[in-house]
Amino acid sequence: MPVIDINSDLGESFGAWTMGDDAAMLDIVSSANVACGFHAGDPAGILRTLKAAGRRGVAIGAHVGYRDLAGFGRRNMDPSSEELVGDVIYQIGALKGLAAAAGTTVTYVKPHGALYNTIAHDQRQASDVITAIRSVDPGLVLMALAGSPLIAQARAAGLTVVAEAFADRAYTADGQLVSRREKGSVLHDPQEIAQRIVRMVKDGVIRSIDGSDVAIDAQSVCVHGDSPDAVAIARHLRAGLEEAGLSVQPFSGKAEAR
């Protein structure tokens, strides 16, 4: 039976500011990208999310980002290599400590927002993130944008990589994510999203924003936890995948990805 992982960005609430519905999402997803405090999240809330994920057997990833609470980690930045390596090490270490207290473990790293998009093509910042991961724990899996040069760069450095697609984001004809500044970049119809991803898993293609088919080879699919429709999208997606005879399971970092 074909297997696919569903992941979501969680642990992003901050104090009195609530972001997403972690409890509901954790009943649906198989992997959780948990904020590490730099783009979102506070220690008590992160710990609460980690405990809830552990109880459900959901795999945990460190959702590392730029030091950018005000911009939710979505503003482009150009830190020095020394700064970026240190920041990523710090975030992974913090989440590992909280995960240990919650009785679970961190098995992978997924960069967030602007950092994720930058390292998909910026070799210098990508190298810094790879260096940081290897410095903390070379057994951690890196989750990266499907089709990006980062995948080959990270594998050449010795990391296991899982390629990721986005359920609720539109793609360009060359397989890139449509900028959030453009109309139609974020998808909202749960049924349409489920149909798109079932086709991607089965046939390896997804319909781009201009109507053409683009090849996507991914082992994990993301539903953004901060979307107002996140729970409905994730629920429809999981149901659609299972109805199509596909198994939803965490990759967990236990096996070499394709």
Side-chain angles (χ1 to χ4, degrees), residues 105-166:
T105 58
V106 176
T107 59
Y108 68 97
V109 175
K110 177 186 170 180
H112 165 80
L115 178 61
Y116 181 96
N117 292 329
T118 297
I119 67 172
H121 301 283
D122 185 312
Q123 289 189 355
R124 194 273 296 177
Q125 289 201 32
S127 179
D128 296 339
V129 172
I130 292 166
T131 296
I133 294 171
R134 286 178 53 81
S135 297
V136 176
D137 181 354
L140 290 171
V141 174
L142 174 64
M143 188 180 286
L145 180 65
S148 68
L150 171 62
I151 293 177
Q153 184 179 353
R155 286 178 175 160
L159 292 181
T160 298
V161 183
V162 163
E164 176 186 39
F166 288 83

Side-chain angles (χ1 to χ4, degrees), residues 10 28 87 105 196 200 226:
L10 305 177
I28 303 167
D87 281 356
T105 58
R196 283 164 56 87
M200 184 203 75
D226 62 318

Side-chain angles (χ1 to χ4, degrees), residues 184-228:
S185 63
V186 180
L187 308 179
H188 299 283
D189 185 334
Q191 186 171 356
E192 176 193 1
I193 289 169
Q195 290 172 346
R196 283 164 56 87
I197 298 303
V198 167
R199 183 167 180 245
M200 184 203 75
V201 177
K202 284 191 163 185
D203 302 331
V205 296
I206 200 165
R207 187 62 53 88
S208 71
I209 197 167
D210 69 0
S212 62
D213 284 342
V214 57
I216 301 287
D217 179 17
Q219 296 83 54
S220 187
V221 177
C222 178
V223 176
H224 284 98
D226 62 318
S227 165

